[in-house]
Amino acid sequence: MDELLKIKEEALDKISVCTSLKDLNDLRVFYLGKKGPMQAAMKSMKDMTKEERASFGQVSNKVKQDITKAIEDKKVALEEAEMNEKIKNEKIDITLPSTTLPLGSIHPLSMVREELEDLFIGMGYSVAEGPEVETDHYNFELMNIPAGHPARDMTDTFYINDTLLMRCHTSPVQARTMLKAQGKGPIKIICPGKTYRRDDDDATHSHQFSQCEGLVIDKNITMADLKGTLELFAKKMFGEKREIRLRPSYFPFTEPSVEVDISCHNCDGKGCPMCKYTGWIEVLGAGMVNPKVLEMCGFDPEVYQGFAFGIGLERVAMLKYGIDNIRNFYSDDLRFLNQFTRKD
Ligand code: DAH
């Protein structure tokens, strides 16, 4: 029995200082296995009396249980320590600076175009398209600008040949849309797109720029509809406090025609360099569709009326974001583009 208790003490000592699962398993095999000191001690049982054997058996069972329990406890402790060590080593240091992947931003012109599309689609318009290489017929004739008309000089156009040109405005899409509708309203479209003019490039002019045309044709359309629509445009693009002002103007395809000013968003109309101290900024042209245009494009002007407008996208973006050089839009300079985050 002393021998058994000695074995137990020795085993518990070794288990307590054991530091690896492998060593622990070796101890288990040694102390509880067939060839260990326990089995050797058991051999003496054959020389014992029945009573001695019974109490020896009890003690040896208890010793086995104690060793087994000590090994199990140690195993749990070692496994936990191992796991903790693993977690510690695998810990991700979130304070390390990460590698930033370059994320593109939306071009300011696209931002303005998308904002306009959202606004007008929300009012029931659809987005129309037309070719950038256009015929004289659509670009001029159907817009009530016949050959020799002085308005042709208002825009210096890139001609490809006698009848083909680079469209100098998005207005020909009005004609294309009306002709497609074959005299039946209503029509509610906007057409954002590229336009071309033989301008000398400078801070505010570019030979290629972008416009957004608008056209509404229906019965009982009045100038009040145009004004309400443009007021909403002004508030959406430049802030709730914006007001608009219509000034008489001239475009061959509208009668009457107006230039539309918006109260300056930079100074709230008080006067600043942006509005040249007038409190107003000229933003677009508009008007009631000229009955001649309606007629040429297959609509009965006695039945249908309409309004139209043409917005310069660069101009809107320049005013909105305080961009002072139109060339920034086309130069692909990341220092410029990165100022427009996706969120803005
Ligand atoms: N097409 C004109 C231009 O390029 C802009 C314009 C003015 C469009 C009045 C319109 C409008 O639809 O009604 O200068």
Side-chain angles (χ1 to χ4, degrees):
M1 289 231 212
D2 284 348
E3 180 67 17
L4 281 181
L5 294 175
K6 232 176 87 191
I7 294 170
K8 174 178 146 179
E9 219 161 275
E10 186 193 284
L12 294 187
D13 275 353
K14 284 191 180 159
I15 290 167
S16 77
V17 297
C18 175
T19 53
S20 82
L21 286 165
K22 185 188 171 303
D23 290 351
L24 188 66
N25 192 46
D26 290 347
L27 288 174
R28 185 181 63 79
V29 171
F30 180 70
Y31 283 105
L32 304 175
K34 292 240 158 42
K35 291 175 190 153
M38 291 285 292
Q39 287 304 116
M42 305 284 262
K43 278 189 187 135
S44 60
M45 276 172 89
K46 62 178 188 305
D47 305 322
M48 291 177 195
T49 65
K50 206 174 161 200
E51 292 76 35
E52 279 173 339
R53 209 178 292 155
S55 58
F56 186 89
Q58 257 180 12
V59 172
S60 79
N61 271 344
K62 178 83 175 64
V63 167
K64 260 192 217 162
Q65 277 171 15
D66 288 350
I67 294 177
T68 306
K69 169 124 185 17
I71 288 177
E72 264 164 22
D73 289 352
K74 187 71 182 183
K75 191 170 171 228
V76 170
L78 284 177
E79 277 173 351
E80 201 179 296
E82 195 174 80
M83 181 57 82
N84 284 342
E85 184 70 11
K86 218 168 157 187
I87 288 170
K88 206 171 94 195
N89 290 338
E90 284 178 6
K91 202 169 104 182
I92 296 164
D93 183 356
I94 55 167
T95 63
L96 273 178
S98 62
T99 3
T100 42
L101 296 172
L103 187 64
S105 52
I106 298 183
H107 194 279
L109 281 178
S110 305
M111 280 168 39
V112 167
R113 195 198 67 229
E114 283 171 19
E115 217 173 313
L116 281 176
E117 287 175 355
D118 277 354
L119 170 67
F120 282 99
I121 286 170
M123 292 196 279
Y125 289 60
S126 44
V127 177
E129 274 184 289
E132 289 168 32
V133 177
E134 188 52 283
T135 61
D136 185 284
H137 185 63
Y138 284 106
N139 191 81
F140 287 130
E141 297 281 339
L142 290 178
M143 286 294 101
N144 196 30
I145 315 172
H149 193 289
R152 287 213 180 192
D153 299 338
M154 273 164 66
T155 62
D156 228 341
T157 307
F158 285 117
Y159 278 89
I160 291 165
N161 57 35
D162 281 350
T163 54
L164 273 184
L165 47 80
M166 301 305 290
R167 69 177 178 195
C168 67
H169 52 183
T170 42
S171 301
V173 181
Q174 289 190 29
R176 288 181 172 273
T177 309
M178 279 188 262
L179 285 169
K180 232 190 271 167
Q182 301 191 316
K184 278 192 92 166
I187 290 174
K188 277 176 100 174
I189 55 120
I190 54 164
C191 170
K194 291 195 180 94
T195 45
Y196 303 81
R197 284 183 200 180
R198 282 180 53 186
D199 277 331
D200 288 331
D201 291 2
D202 62 24
T204 54
H205 294 85
S206 167
H207 60 281
Q208 185 248 292
F209 57 106
S210 332
Q211 287 190 335
C212 180
E213 196 75 15
L215 174 71
V216 170
I217 307 272
D218 206 348
K219 293 167 184 164
N220 304 317
I221 293 289
T222 72
M223 200 121 180
D225 298 309
L226 170 62
K227 194 172 178 201
T229 304
L230 295 176
E231 228 161 51
L232 209 66
F233 155 78
K235 289 181 197 299
K236 172 82 194 320
M237 298 307 280
F238 295 101
E240 274 308 307
K241 279 166 45 195
R242 298 287 67 79
E243 287 166 31
I244 62 164
R245 178 174 84 170
L246 306 184
R247 278 181 295 110
S249 183
Y250 172 75
F251 299 103
F253 32 90
T254 44
E255 183 58 37
S257 303
V258 291
E259 305 268 8
V260 184
D261 298 341
I262 297 183
S263 62
C264 181
H265 58 291
N266 194 41
C267 63
D268 264 345
K270 287 186 202 77
C272 70
M274 191 176 257
C275 58
K276 302 201 183 85
Y277 300 97
T278 64
W280 295 93
I281 299 177
E282 186 193 319
V283 173
L284 62 120
M288 302 305 291
V289 178
N290 191 321
K292 278 196 205 157
V293 172
L294 283 172
E295 217 162 354
M296 281 190 282
C297 295
F299 275 78
D300 182 353
E302 298 295 329
V303 180
Y304 284 103
Q305 303 78 41
F307 66 75
F309 54 85
I311 302 170
L313 294 190
E314 280 83 351
R315 178 144 177 82
V316 169
M318 286 171 88
L319 291 169
K320 203 169 149 81
Y321 301 117
I323 298 163
D324 59 6
N325 193 330
I326 199 169
R327 284 176 276 222
N328 283 328
F329 291 118
Y330 320 113
S331 63
D332 286 346
D333 187 334
L334 290 180
R335 289 169 303 180
F336 171 73
L337 294 173
N338 284 341
Q339 294 176 56
F340 301 90
T341 67
R342 284 168 182 269
K343 253 200 345 233
D344 290 344

